[in-house]
Amino acid sequence: LSGALVVEPLGLRVLPYVYLLENHRLGPLLSPADLSTWVGTFLLVDVFYYILHRQGHVFALLWAGHAIHHGSEHYNLSTALRQSWAHPCVSWIYYLPLALCGVPPAVYLVNQQWNLLYQVSSSRCCACVQALVRYKVVVTLSLWLRSFGSTPA
């Protein structure tokens, strides 16, 4: 099944998220009409994505599902979007803190898709991204670590 098209039931992500949001959130529900909700969620999704992706490289069990993403000599859109069947079964767990923060499910889901497009596009033009980071136009955790994380200070 590895490499096959996997259709994830949306409920796998949404039901636990809504349960936490409704029963255990730490503050008020954030307004989807507020721009700061969208910007803050985008940045948090990026941080949680970085943690997920990094742990996919560190832990053998997660690497077993993540290695297919690195199974090509050339990085392109199809390689970037290639995920194992196990990825959707695990990845949603990393975003549950958003529910505790009061982020509405629609804001989380849209930002997760934006983040996917952002990661693919930023990886496609590394020189451009490094320039943006260098000049502090865009500084997110995953970009900073990708660009400078392995360089000695």
Side-chain angles (χ1 to χ4, degrees), residues 3 9 12 14 16 20 23 28 34 58 61 72 85 134 138-139 144 150:
L12 183 65
V14 175
L20 279 178
N23 298 298
D34 189 355
V58 172
L61 184 60
S72 176
W85 63 270
R134 186 175 301 117
V138 176
V139 182
W144 185 85
S150 61

Side-chain angles (χ1 to χ4, degrees), residues 46 48 60 66 74 83 94 97 103 109 112 115 119 129 138 149:
D46 189 58
F48 297 139
H66 183 72
H74 303 287
Q83 300 293 336
Y94 288 82
V103 175
L109 292 170
Q112 192 178 32
N115 184 264
Q119 294 299 333
V129 169
V138 176

Side-chain angles (χ1 to χ4, degrees), residues 122-133:
S122 68
S123 296
R124 292 282 299 153
C125 66
C126 288
C128 176
V129 169
Q130 287 179 356
L132 291 173
V133 171

Side-chain angles (χ1 to χ4, degrees), residues 30-100:
L30 300 176
S31 170
D34 189 355
L35 181 62
S36 65
T37 299
W38 289 91
V39 172
T41 301
F42 182 81
L43 294 174
L44 286 173
V45 165
D46 189 58
V47 169
F48 297 139
Y49 171 81
Y50 173 77
I51 294 168
L52 167 65
H53 191 254
R54 187 74 203 128
Q55 288 185 345
H57 286 257
V58 172
F59 297 106
L61 184 60
L62 293 175
W63 176 252
H66 183 72
I68 189 167
H69 169 73
H70 293 277
S72 176
E73 288 185 31
H74 303 287
Y75 187 83
N76 56 37
L77 182 61
S78 66
T79 304
L81 296 177
R82 189 183 307 155
Q83 300 293 336
S84 80
W85 63 270
H87 182 78
C89 298
V90 176
S91 63
W92 61 272
I93 296 167
Y94 288 82
Y95 300 101
L96 289 178
L98 295 171
L100 297 175

Side-chain angles (χ1 to χ4, degrees), residues 21-22 25 27-31 101-105:
L21 182 72
E22 295 298 323
R25 78 172 172 260
L29 186 64
L30 300 176
S31 170
C101 293
V103 175

